[in-house]
Amino acid sequence: MVSATENSLRQNIIDGCLAMNAQGYNHGTSGNISHRLDGRMLITPTSTPYDDLKPELIASLALDKNDTIWDGPLAPSSEWRMHRDIMLARPEINAIVHLHSAFATVLSAKRITIPAAHYQIAQFGGDDIRCAEYAQYGTQALSDNALAALDNRTGCLLANHGMLAIGDSLEKALWLAVELEAQAHCYFHTLQIGGPILLTKEQIAPPPGANSNYGLRSS
């Protein structure tokens, strides 16, 4: 029997999907959201319109490389492997948002790394947002490439595909997804006027007394 806590978390995943579509950051059934729960991973099911989702339709998988059996009436997103591998490699991460948002996807199609055109890029753990090498969706290669691009980062582009944002909570991961699209939007438009004047690591570092969650990690 699903606990009230798990049922609430399942609904939060659905609400996140609906919010991303309503705000234009995603469309149709593209993209997916997952959340860690007691040694398992909850993730949106494959090829299911978000308006039709109910908590009981969210898929559940063990966070175990050797266990690929899922629970639920619907199969998990085709990107389940990427979500699972990130959670296994990054124990501090509890939620993952994958979107095909417009400007992030445009830059990913050009396989562009987003540099420090705006100081908020530091929210992703460094002075850039990397673009992972291309691999077909749902493959182990895509999972491996995403992990490499996310090293010491909380977001990345996926070449010719879209973006990933990861956080210690669903709220943080959703916020970072919106911020990553804002960074992509800013950088894309600066390229139309000759490119940005880039900020240094010192210029994007948090000022004294700033929130300790803000700022750079080591590269």
Side-chain angles (χ1 to χ4, degrees):
M1 182 176 179
V2 175
S3 68
T5 298
E6 179 172 341
N7 195 68
S8 177
L9 184 53
R10 288 167 175 258
Q11 185 61 54
N12 288 344
I13 291 172
I14 296 170
D15 292 343
C17 292
L18 293 172
M20 292 295 98
N21 274 24
Q23 296 172 47
Y25 294 109
N26 214 40
H27 58 275
T29 61
S30 65
N32 27 76
I33 293 178
S34 66
H35 203 289
R36 186 191 301 270
L37 178 68
D38 299 330
R40 293 181 294 132
M41 177 181 74
L42 301 176
I43 188 169
T44 47
T46 189
S47 304
T48 305
Y50 295 138
D51 287 336
D52 295 340
L53 283 180
K54 299 177 181 179
E56 60 268 23
L57 300 181
I58 299 296
S60 173
L61 297 89
L63 286 174
D64 184 339
K65 276 269 193 181
N66 299 313
D67 188 348
T68 60
I69 299 173
W70 48 268
D71 294 322
L74 300 176
S77 164
S78 60
E79 303 291 14
W80 64 266
R81 181 177 283 103
M82 178 173 65
H83 287 253
R84 181 203 61 188
D85 288 355
I86 292 169
M87 288 192 183
L88 286 172
R90 300 281 294 271
E92 81 280 12
I93 296 303
N94 292 315
I96 299 167
V97 176
H98 168 48
L99 299 178
H100 298 175
S101 56
F103 286 93
T105 302
V106 167
L107 295 185
S108 81
K110 187 66 173 174
R111 305 187 185 182
I112 291 174
T113 288
I114 303 174
H118 191 283
Y119 74 91
Q120 282 277 50
I121 203 166
Q123 293 285 4
F124 295 91
D127 59 352
D128 62 10
I129 296 170
R130 306 182 188 108
C131 184
E133 294 183 15
Y134 181 76
Q136 289 182 303
Y137 70 90
T139 62
Q140 185 63 53
L142 178 61
S143 178
D144 294 341
N145 293 348
L147 276 172
L150 286 170
D151 184 38
N152 287 315
R153 296 291 189 271
T154 54
C156 72
L157 301 178
L158 300 173
N160 302 83
H161 190 154
M163 63 122 105
L164 280 170
I166 63 178
D168 58 5
S169 68
L170 182 54
E171 180 182 28
K172 185 61 178 292
L174 288 166
W175 184 88
L176 284 169
V178 172
E179 181 58 37
L180 200 160
E181 177 65 3
Q183 293 289 323
H185 185 274
C186 171
Y187 186 50
F188 175 87
H189 281 93
T190 63
L191 292 176
Q192 313 312 305
I193 55 174
I197 297 172
L198 298 180
L199 300 172
T200 66
K201 288 187 177 182
E202 291 72 25
Q203 288 172 323
I204 65 173
N211 188 328
S212 60
N213 290 326
Y214 178 98
L216 301 172
R217 297 181 181 87
S218 61
S219 298

